[in-house]
Amino acid sequence: MASALAAHSSFAFSPSSRLKSSVPHPSPAFSPSGHRLLASFPEFRGLKIQMPSPKLSLLSTGARNSRVSRRSGGRVVCEAQETTIDIPAVTDATWQSLVLKADGPVLVEFWAPWCGPCRMIHPVVAELSVEYAGKLKFFKLNTDESPSIASKYGIRSIPTIMIFSNGEKKDAVIGAVPKTTLTTTIGKFL
């Protein structure tokens, strides 16, 4: 069984880096002479094989279902469209107008670029900003660039998510928490 898996996975990698896995891989295609030439991965729709030279073998049945010669030396390039949602930033200069004088509740994510947990929670906050569009305003504040606001609100750990309403701090969630925790907190103020 292990040798069969190694044979199936070796077509996608160089012989020196065989991958042994229990995940089934697609069977390689064979040329009329019996040599293994092609591998097809139709489930990966956001990837494209970038070929270093037009002379190398590239057979395509469409832009989304490419097949590439094993010996092509091509590299995989992600062609997925921009999928991140950029939360607007708030600074010392814009804090008063965007957060304290805002109509309705405001969620502010206190973060810093060097903070690993902050980077983990960014996509969660971005998803929530789409889900609650029109009901809740979302901003992020870089604590390195605006330390006075972070100090004023007692931010000692990041990420910290705060919800403001009518210019007052209503609630805070500290740390990289699950989406459900943030959803529950937001639900209290809508």
Side-chain angles (χ1 to χ4, degrees), residues 58-120:
L58 175 65
L59 303 174
S60 179
T61 57
R64 296 298 218 182
N65 189 11
S66 298
R67 296 180 180 174
V68 178
S69 169
R70 177 177 174 239
R71 288 173 264 177
S72 67
R75 61 186 179 140
V76 177
V77 179
C78 180
E79 285 191 327
Q81 294 179 350
E82 186 64 39
T83 57
T84 60
I85 299 162
D86 194 27
I87 305 292
V90 64
T91 62
D92 290 332
T94 59
W95 180 259
Q96 187 77 20
S97 62
L98 294 177
V99 178
L100 300 181
K101 293 185 179 180
D103 296 331
V106 178
L107 182 144
V108 179
E109 174 190 0
F110 292 84
W111 73 289
W114 49 263
C115 169
C118 298
R119 292 184 179 271
M120 290 170 46

Side-chain angles (χ1 to χ4, degrees), residues 28-38 57 59 71:
F30 292 90
S31 71
S33 64
H35 290 97
R36 208 174 339 165
L37 291 177
L38 305 172
S57 167
L59 303 174
R71 288 173 264 177

Side-chain angles (χ1 to χ4, degrees), residues 120-165:
M120 290 170 46
I121 203 167
H122 279 319
V124 174
V125 174
E127 286 177 29
L128 291 170
S129 73
V130 172
E131 290 177 27
Y132 291 98
K135 300 176 189 173
L136 180 67
K137 294 179 183 174
F138 286 76
F139 296 103
K140 62 183 178 180
L141 181 130
N142 184 334
T143 57
D144 289 344
E145 293 175 358
S146 300
S148 62
I149 294 174
S151 295
K152 179 179 178 179
Y153 289 96
I155 303 297
R156 294 197 174 121
S157 296
I158 53 174
T160 294
I161 308 292
M162 283 191 180
I163 298 183
F164 293 83
S165 185

Side-chain angles (χ1 to χ4, degrees), residues 13 48 141:
F13 304 97
K48 171 187 167 184
L141 181 130

Side-chain angles (χ1 to χ4, degrees), residues 1-10 18-25:
M1 174 80 176
S3 63
L5 288 174
H8 278 287
S9 52
S10 66
R18 289 183 184 210
L19 175 68
K20 294 181 181 176
S21 172
S22 61
V23 178
H25 296 282

